[in-house]
């Protein structure tokens, strides 16, 4: 399960956990509208997968991508995909 969502009762945010099952990669980061496209590194686990979590405001849709060893990659199980004119490519979509 690559993306899990835990909606917080105390504030209008959702704890989103990103998990990437890529045992061959050296580094993976996530970047999107929710963090001004600043790469947030995911932690490499002992089983070779990468994982990281962040609180993101709800009631919105966000475009995002993973940076796998410097190459931009979409999340195959994203909530959807949207064409981005600036990037000239599709981005993954996260709906909260």
């Amino acid at each position: 399960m690559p993306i899990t969502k835990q909606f917080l009762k105390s504030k209008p945010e959702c704890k989103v956990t990103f998990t990437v099952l890529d045992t061959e990669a050296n580094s993976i980061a996530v970047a999107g509208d929710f963090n001004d496209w600043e790469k947030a590194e995911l932690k490499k686990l002992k089983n070779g997968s990468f994982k990281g979590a962040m609180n993101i405001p709800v009631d919105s849709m966000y475009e995002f991508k993973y940076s796998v060893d410097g190459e931009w990659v979409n999340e195959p199980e994203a909530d959807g995909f949207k064409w981005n004119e600036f990037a000239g490519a599709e981005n993954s979509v996260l709906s909260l």
Side-chain angles (χ1 to χ4, degrees):
M1 193 176 309
I3 297 177
T4 56
K5 302 173 187 175
Q6 180 183 358
F7 290 89
L8 305 179
K9 294 179 182 177
S10 60
K11 48 188 163 182
E13 292 182 344
C14 180
K15 179 180 179 183
V16 180
T17 302
F18 299 93
T19 305
V20 181
L21 306 172
D22 187 339
T23 58
E24 302 298 316
N26 293 313
S27 69
I28 298 180
V30 63
D33 294 336
F34 47 79
N35 65 355
D36 295 324
W37 290 94
E38 293 292 325
K39 293 180 183 177
E41 292 292 325
L42 303 182
K43 182 179 179 183
K44 188 166 189 172
L45 304 178
K46 289 181 181 179
N47 68 1
S49 65
F50 291 79
K51 192 173 193 177
M54 61 182 68
N55 290 355
I56 302 173
V58 297
D59 296 329
S60 194
M61 294 178 66
Y62 300 95
E63 293 182 40
F64 75 99
K65 281 197 173 222
Y66 295 119
S67 174
V68 180
D69 291 336
E71 186 173 326
W72 292 106
V73 177
N74 277 321
E75 167 58 67
E77 296 183 32
D79 295 330
F81 300 93
K82 184 177 178 186
W83 181 259
N84 183 294
E85 288 294 329
F86 179 76
E90 274 191 331
N91 287 337
S92 303
V93 172
L94 177 67
S95 297
L96 299 177

